[in-house]
């Protein structure tokens, strides 16, 4: 569980310790010191002592001078909590968010502009993170602690009006507490509940639309068939795009969503647009791909100086190959033989480049056009090995076409070359 030492997390610790006798529960606390203020290290030490007194081990983490404001601190904190969970093999990470946090989140999302998902507030569960206290208010939990004789720590940064949540908690909510017969907290909670119901219905519809569009998960993301998607209205396309991105761990902004939806309609095959940092939608013939963008290691080409047998590894377009020449083993995935008298060494095994051409029996062809006609997806074309001579003449597009030649001497020597993907 995440433990700050404040009233909410102390109540969660106390409650979880109370059920350990009747429920098989192995509990570990995790405290993250954000380094805010001169007393943060002292508060961290006090939090660790509270856990020790309760008989609960406490893992400590800290950061200093982190950039990115509240979002940066949240990312660092959740990264730490996830690391602790993995280290201990825990099933869940319990967080101490309660009903007032939930209402504040609804209002914060409303102020910055949001849809149903944002209006639904804080989810009770998201992945390994669970929030068992959302049904209780802050004062209810503090009353429980007073009755139990428990004292909590106060974090001065919670009242720092530089942070929007503090302004909402101590300024906006008290100022609007008299609005309506039921009061702002009750109205905001009702809004969140209705938004959650609406979001659930729309999410179910998005899953059905994805299924009808032949949705498939892939190694680098997901793909769907484009023709069915073109029949959906713009709002439906936006929702399914955001759902795919969210399931991959990305948040797409309005601008990114608009760019992605427009590309679904008019994007050309072999092209794509970025829809979020590290996320891109591309079209390959009649399929749309949503892909993570990864930094790829540079290619390592193979240079063959002579006909003597040999083998070397190659990395082309992010894929690993083993290249053999001169004498093959018969286990190669792709192999060909060329008249040795027509070859100008050194040969080079590399990826395609602009301007590469190969002479086939149908005439001279651009390698890029050949791969397009063979319906090789644009994202895969850079990983198709080709074999070229010293004068850049393409001898072989591996797996697709070899140079159309006739040996000057039918009894002449042939040069064999083969590749296997590793």
């Amino acid at each position: 569980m995440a433990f700050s030492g404040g009233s909410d997390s102390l109540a969660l610790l106390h409650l979880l310790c109370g059920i350990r006798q009747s429920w098989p529960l192995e509990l570990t606390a995790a405290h993250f010191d954000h380094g805010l203020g001169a007393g943060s290290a002292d508060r961290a030490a006090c939090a660790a002592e509270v856990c020790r007194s309760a008989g609960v081990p406490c893992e400590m983490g800290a950061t200093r001078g982190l950039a990115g404001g509240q979002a940066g601190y949240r990312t660092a904190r959740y990264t730490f909590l996830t690391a602790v969970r993995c280290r201990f093999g825990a099933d869940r990470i319990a967080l101490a968010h309660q009903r007032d946090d939930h209402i504040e989140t609804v209002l914060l999302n409303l102020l910055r502009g949001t849809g149903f998902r944002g209006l639904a507030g804080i989810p009770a569960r998201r992945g390994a993170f669970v929030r068992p206290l959302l049904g209780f208010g802050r004062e209810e939990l503090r009353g429980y602690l007073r009755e139990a004789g428990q004292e909590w720590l106060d974090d001065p940064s919670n009242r720092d009006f530089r942070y929007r949540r503090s302004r909402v908690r101590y300024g906006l909510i008290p100022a609007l507490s008299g609005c309506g017969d039921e009061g702002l907290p009750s109205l905001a909670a009702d809004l969140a509940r209705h938004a959650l119901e609406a979001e659930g219905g729309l999410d179910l519809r998005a899953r059905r639309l994805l299924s009808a569009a032949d949705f498939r998960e892939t190694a680098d993301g997901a793909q769907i068939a484009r023709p069915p998607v073109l029949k959906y209205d713009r709002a439906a396309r936006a929702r399914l795009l955001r759902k795919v991105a969210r399931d991959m761990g990305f948040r797409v902004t309005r601008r990114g969503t608009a760019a992605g939806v427009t590309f679904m309609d008019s994007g050309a095959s072999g092209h794509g647009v970025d829809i979020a940092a590290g996320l891109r939608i591309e079209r390959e013939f009649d399929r749309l791909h949503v892909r993570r963008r990864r930094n790829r290691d540079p290619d390592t080409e193979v240079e063959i100086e002579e006909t003597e047998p040999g083998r070397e590894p190659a990395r082309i377009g992010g894929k690993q190959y083993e290249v053999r020449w001169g004498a093959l083993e018969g286990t190669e995935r792709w192999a060909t033989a060329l008249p040795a008298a027509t070859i100008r060494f050194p040969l080079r095994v590399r990826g395609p480049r602009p301007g590469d051409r190969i002479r086939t029996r149908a005439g001279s062809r651009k390698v890029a056009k050949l791969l397009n006609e063979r319906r090789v997806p644009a994202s895969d074309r850079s990983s198709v090995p080709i074999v070229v001579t010293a004068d850049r003449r393409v001898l072989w597009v591996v797996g697709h076409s070899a140079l159309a030649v006739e040996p000057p001497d039918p009894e002449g020597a042939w040069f064999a070359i083969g590749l296997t993907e590793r």
Side-chain angles (χ1 to χ4, degrees), residues 220-393:
D220 57 357
Q223 60 170 278
I224 52 178
R226 182 170 176 263
V229 170
L230 296 181
K231 299 177 182 178
Y232 301 159
D233 59 49
R234 190 174 179 87
R237 285 189 232 168
R239 176 158 288 274
L240 67 84
L241 180 61
R242 287 195 297 268
K243 175 170 176 52
V244 170
R246 187 171 60 249
D247 290 347
M248 294 170 59
F250 291 86
R251 179 181 175 273
V252 182
T253 64
R254 293 178 185 175
R255 179 177 295 179
T257 301
V261 169
T262 299
F263 180 80
M264 287 178 174
D265 184 52
S266 58
S269 180
H271 293 75
V273 295
D274 294 333
I275 57 174
L279 192 65
R280 184 173 178 82
I281 182 171
E282 299 173 345
R283 178 183 169 191
E284 292 179 354
F285 304 107
D286 286 334
R287 298 197 70 82
L288 297 166
H289 295 252
V290 183
R291 291 190 169 106
R292 300 177 184 86
R293 300 194 68 173
R294 291 193 175 96
N295 293 329
R296 197 169 65 196
D297 293 332
D299 284 1
T300 55
E301 302 171 353
V302 170
E303 188 168 286
I304 303 171
E305 296 284 354
E306 54 189 16
T307 58
E308 289 298 316
R311 67 172 66 191
E312 278 190 33
R315 182 171 55 241
I316 298 172
K319 292 185 178 181
Q320 303 282 346
Y321 298 92
E322 182 175 78
V323 184
R324 301 182 190 129
W325 64 91
L328 305 186
E329 297 179 354
T331 59
E332 294 79 10
R333 182 175 178 183
W334 304 282
T336 192
L338 297 165
T342 67
I343 297 175
R344 181 180 173 188
F345 287 92
L347 299 183
R348 187 174 293 275
V349 182
R350 60 167 173 80
R353 295 177 183 171
D356 283 337
R357 302 184 72 91
I358 185 169
R359 182 162 58 86
T360 69
R361 297 192 184 281
S364 180
R365 313 281 301 285
K366 286 186 176 180
V367 170
K369 186 175 182 180
L370 172 70
L371 295 175
N372 182 63
E373 291 173 351
R374 296 294 180 91
R375 299 188 70 81
V376 177
S379 59
D380 291 338
R381 292 173 195 168
S382 65
S383 62
V384 175
I386 68 172
V387 180
V388 299
T389 63
D391 54 1
R392 289 194 59 183
R393 188 165 55 110

